[in-house]
Structures are given as structure tokens and as C-alpha cells.
């Protein structure tokens, strides 16, 4: 796909990110993460005020991809990770907390471009390692991250509300500049 753009988010994007995040999480995980906990999780995890606050924090970057009409189609949420999980090492480590691409735009280059820009942003911020957590039962996501150079280095539990829903892969990638 051509014609999309990627830019840094501002506090003015909080409502857009909240809506996009909740919609894409529900489309992806709704069938395996039922109500009523789904609504509670969405309210906690994607609250507008929480996103607005996170955008303004030191060590955080949020990037948004938009189609030619300015509609949000993907985003990433990156933050410094001073205490990374076991298996992740580096002097300056960042985490990709969230990485979502609208299903209608998957496989069209949007995700790869957003990931490249996300990794570039971590390098600009001095990172040498980037990590993320991905559901072990999401082979399409795991395959994408592997194509982007991430490798599985461990596992972590994922909690959906009070219930552990499974173990996730922890994947990491070196972003050291040569």
C-alpha cells in the first residue's frame, strides 16, 4: 500500500488511539476474551486519559499510521524498559507495549513500515535492545515479528483482568547502531 503516513502522536490523538485500540483488540481477541471482563479490560487499558498521560511521559513514543484521508489505521506504543523481563538484556532497553494494525491493512506494508519507524525511534532514543510480548496462539503476529528480526527469548504470563489467560512469548531484537 502506498499513500499512508506515519507520525508522532500528540495529546490530541488520545481519543483516536483509544477508539482504535479498543476496536482492534476486540476484533483480534474478543472471541477468546469474553464479556463482561472484555469491557472492563478495554476501559482500563485504553482509557483516553491514560493514553493522553502516557503520550506526555518521558521515555514514551506513540506513532500512528494514517491512510491518505487521515484515518488511523495502525499505531505503536513504545516506552523505556528499565526492568526488562528475563531473557532480555541491554544497556538501554525499550518495550513495544502495543502494536496494532487494522486487519483491512495487514499484509499491505503498513505494519512493516510502522515497525521500521518504531525501531528507528527507539534508536534515536538510545536503545540497544527492543522487546515485546506476543500471544503464543497468534502465529500470524509471531511470524510478522520474526520477519522483522525479533526472536523468542522467554515467556511471560498474560492476565486478562484477574484471570491468567496463558503464556506469551517474549521476543527481542538488537537495534545497536554499527
Amino acid at each position: 500500500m502506498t499513500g499512508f503516513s506515519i507520525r508522532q502522536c500528540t495529546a490530541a490523538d488520545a481519543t483516536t488511539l483509544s477508539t482504535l485500540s479498543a476496536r482492534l483488540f476486540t476484533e483480534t481477541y474478543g472471541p477468546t476474551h469474553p464479556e463482561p471482563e472484555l469491557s472492563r479490560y478495554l476501559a482500563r487499558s485504553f482509557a483516553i486519559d491514560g493514553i493522553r498521560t502516557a503520550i506526555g511521559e518521558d521515555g514514551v513514543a506513540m506513532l500512528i499510521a494514517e491512510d491518505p484521508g487521515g484515518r488511523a489505521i495502525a499505531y505503536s506504543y513504545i516506552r523505556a524498559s528499565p526492568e526488562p523481563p528475563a531473557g532480555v538484556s541491554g544497556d538501554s532497553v525499550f518495550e513495544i507495549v502495543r502494536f496494532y494494525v487494522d486487519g483491512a491493512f495487514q499484509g499491505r506494508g503498513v505494519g512493516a513500515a510502522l515497525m521500521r519507524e518504531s525501531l528507528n525511534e527507539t534508536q534515536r532514543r538510545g536503545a540497544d535492545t527492543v522487546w515485546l510480548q506476543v500471544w503464543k496462539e497468534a502465529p500470524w503476529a509471531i511470524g510478522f515479528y520474526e520477519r522483522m528480526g525479533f526472536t523468542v527469548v522467554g515467556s511471560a504470563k498474560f492476565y486478562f483482568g484477574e484471570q491468567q489467560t496463558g503464556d506469551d512469548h517474549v521476543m527481542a531484537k538488537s537495534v545497536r547502531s554499527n
Side-chain angles (χ1 to χ4, degrees):
M1 176 181 176
T2 59
F4 65 92
S5 60
I6 299 172
R7 65 174 176 81
Q8 286 275 345
C9 292
T10 68
D13 295 309
T15 299
T16 298
L17 289 177
S18 174
T19 301
L20 180 67
S21 300
R23 180 175 64 83
L24 296 180
F25 185 92
T26 301
E27 287 174 6
T28 304
Y29 301 110
T32 56
H33 295 74
E35 292 291 356
E37 191 55 42
L38 176 61
S39 293
R40 290 191 291 261
Y41 179 84
L42 296 175
R44 278 190 313 272
S45 299
F46 306 121
I48 294 168
D49 289 341
I51 291 171
R52 186 178 294 114
T53 298
I55 288 171
E57 290 178 355
D58 288 337
V60 168
M62 291 193 197
L63 304 174
I64 189 167
E66 297 169 319
D67 71 9
R71 183 174 61 120
I73 58 174
Y75 85 100
S76 68
Y77 170 6
I78 307 156
R79 70 176 172 207
S81 182
E83 295 183 28
V88 178
S89 61
D91 295 323
S92 179
V93 178
F94 276 71
E95 175 188 10
I96 297 176
V97 180
R98 294 196 179 98
F99 191 90
Y100 288 111
V101 177
D102 186 311
F105 295 91
Q106 291 177 6
R108 299 171 65 188
V110 175
L114 180 60
M115 180 59 76
R116 282 190 299 273
E117 186 55 32
S118 298
L119 295 172
N120 289 341
E121 181 63 28
T122 65
Q123 285 182 310
R124 285 190 288 274
R125 291 169 178 260
D128 57 10
T129 304
V130 177
W131 72 277
L132 54 82
Q133 192 169 320
V134 60
W135 190 28
K136 287 182 180 178
E137 295 181 43
W140 64 91
I142 295 165
F144 170 77
Y145 295 132
E146 287 174 336
R147 286 189 300 279
M148 298 305 299
F150 286 83
T151 58
V152 175
V153 296
S155 65
K157 303 209 180 306
F158 177 77
Y159 289 90
F160 184 68
E162 299 298 316
Q163 179 183 14
Q164 179 188 337
T165 59
D167 288 325
D168 288 352
H169 286 308
V170 172
M171 299 182 79
K173 172 183 177 70
S174 173
V175 292
R176 286 183 175 90
S177 297
N178 293 330

